[in-house]
Amino acid sequence: MKRKVSLVSLGCPKNLVDAEVMLGHLPAERFEIITDEAQADIIIVNTCSFIKEAKEESVETILEVADYKTKGRCRHLIVTGCLPQRYRDDLARELPEVDLFMGTGDAARILEYLDALDGRKEVMEAVGAPDYLYDHNTPRVKSSPFYTTYVKIAEGCANHCSYCIIPQLRGVLRSRTIDSVTAEVRRLVGEGVKEVNLIAQDITAFGADRSDGSRLEVLLKQLVRIEGLQWLRLLYAYPDGITDELLELLADEPKICKYLDLPLQHIDDTILGMMNRRVDEAGIRALLARIRHHIPEITLRTSFIVGFPGETEEQFQRLLDFVNEGHFERVGVFRYSREEGTAAASLPGQIPERVKKARYTKLMKAQARVSFRKNRALVGRCEPVLIEGYSEETDLLLRGRSSRQAPDIDGQVYITAGQATIGDLVQLKITDSSEYDLIGEIVEE
């Protein structure tokens, strides 16, 4: 009889790919993947520990599913990913309900560990070094909708921002080969994928660790040749890696979405210096002007951190004023999280939580006004939209995403007229908008 496995993946899309790789290593003749934890023989929780809130969510989820060891049929509870990579010994003491902890580099060993648990053998060194990198031959069970997916082109990071724990969790930069990424994307497109979202801790660093001429621009030129690929989206691009060649590709290649996610984190030079960021305010402003010059219609997403140690009211006001200038269609805001093991954790001038929350709220409200204004400017235009299903509120309205909206993190488009099937790409006339969502009618071509 097949054993039933349920996997809960928390955190970012990079974590989701790890989870899919893990499930891919479980032979279909022995395991059945299900979504109902109450019916699962094995429950796997793939965790995130990037910031305080992510750690808390991970622990809460572990405790919730641990109940199925007494109330359900769960025999083995396995916790994987960033949290055990960072806190294995502490977790082992605090969470005796967990049968096994695995790190960020151990996805490919899941079957070995399960067999050891079944044989009541002690599993040694189940949290190894963060040095794993999957390739096009790696089995992977895709869990996202059939028309879209994420492809991780590199693992690890070499930027060493002072607030960030990622290099300790994910290791040094390790880029896949161009041929490997191309082979995986070609296979996924052959299986029906229309949208491929390229991800890494920093996609602009792709190939920097290799001596074979690999660069993001070279990779993109290969990928756009793949017949059947409709949208190619770039996520997590470090500002100083954005070349004119890359911008020209975004401008000229119809398959590459006119969309760029470039986390900036702040605008004040003193804060940027303490963050160990390599681009100052002048460089950021020059970059934004250069991007808009090449691609006037591009959609830009960024992220900012408020409450970094030593951030004064004046420095926050500079950031608030910068957001109010309206450079970005999308902005994510994080409250600084003091992470042990990072350089910023020992900085003086740690900001109280109430101040961080107040600054977070102000910045989010400012960007909501900018987003609303930018969405209103789209009314009357026609946009390509990928149909994703029906509205959560009523099955009378289709919903989808324009090429301006990345999965999971951006808004949606609600369709008030016209017929289409999930996975279709249609032309939509925008008739209305809100702060984050668009409303429109399908235009018959």
Side-chain angles (χ1 to χ4, degrees), residues 82 329 370 437:
C82 295
E329 283 73 17
V370 172
D437 299 322

Side-chain angles (χ1 to χ4, degrees), residues 66-313:
D67 283 346
Y68 292 115
K69 294 193 76 174
T70 54
K71 298 177 181 177
R73 52 186 287 175
C74 177
R75 289 183 56 203
H76 298 316
L77 174 56
I78 300 173
V79 174
T80 74
C82 295
L83 198 66
Q85 186 69 44
R86 191 174 179 188
Y87 299 113
R88 177 186 60 178
D89 295 339
D90 293 338
L91 292 172
R93 286 193 298 270
E94 299 296 327
L95 297 171
E97 308 94 327
V98 178
D99 298 290
L100 177 67
F101 295 98
M102 296 168 54
T104 58
D106 302 312
R109 300 182 66 188
I110 181 66
L111 183 60
E112 170 192 341
Y113 292 144
L114 279 175
D115 286 343
L117 285 174
D118 287 339
R120 297 293 185 266
K121 298 176 183 177
E122 184 177 359
V123 182
M124 301 300 292
E125 297 301 324
V127 176
D131 55 8
Y132 179 70
L133 181 64
Y134 88 104
D135 64 23
H136 60 293
N137 291 315
T138 304
R140 178 180 166 192
V141 175
K142 199 171 82 67
S143 59
S144 52
F146 71 89
Y147 49 81
T148 186
T149 195
Y150 297 96
V151 171
K152 192 188 298 190
I153 64 174
E155 183 60 276
C157 189
N159 288 328
H160 298 288
C161 301
S162 68
Y163 52 82
C164 185
I165 199 72
I166 292 297
Q168 298 176 46
L169 301 178
R170 295 284 179 174
V172 299
L173 175 67
R174 308 180 300 286
S175 302
R176 295 171 60 183
T177 67
I178 287 177
D179 286 347
S180 174
V181 177
T182 303
E184 183 183 18
V185 172
R186 184 176 288 113
R187 174 178 57 78
L188 289 164
V189 170
E191 294 170 356
V193 167
K194 295 183 178 180
E195 175 190 41
V196 171
N197 302 279
L198 298 183
I199 57 173
Q201 303 301 333
D202 171 11
I203 61 168
T204 57
F206 173 78
D209 56 316
R210 304 184 63 86
S211 57
D212 58 2
S214 295
R215 292 182 298 117
L216 178 62
E217 295 86 345
V218 179
L219 172 63
L220 294 176
K221 290 176 183 177
Q222 286 279 93
L223 296 181
V224 296
R225 297 175 187 167
I226 296 174
E227 188 175 347
L229 177 62
Q230 305 271 347
W231 287 356
L232 190 61
R233 191 183 305 278
L234 310 182
L235 299 174
Y236 323 125
Y238 200 91
D240 69 352
I242 298 172
T243 64
D244 283 344
E245 183 183 1
L246 177 60
L247 294 179
E248 288 164 7
L249 276 169
L250 265 77
D252 297 340
E253 287 291 348
K255 290 184 178 181
I256 304 179
C257 295
K258 307 301 183 278
Y259 178 106
L260 197 58
D261 183 341
L262 60 159
L264 297 178
Q265 312 306 359
H266 216 280
I267 196 60
D268 180 82
D269 282 348
T270 300
I271 296 295
L272 288 167
M274 291 193 297
M275 287 179 168
N276 199 30
R277 303 288 289 184
R278 296 191 296 269
V279 183
D280 62 8
E281 178 182 359
I284 289 170
R285 291 186 178 277
L287 171 62
L288 294 175
R290 190 158 53 94
I291 293 172
R292 295 287 184 187
H293 171 74
H294 280 86
I295 320 159
E297 293 296 313
I298 195 170
T299 293
L300 292 180
R301 163 174 273 279
T302 193
S303 59
F304 294 117
I305 296 172
V306 296
F308 189 81
E311 183 189 54
T312 64
E313 281 296 332

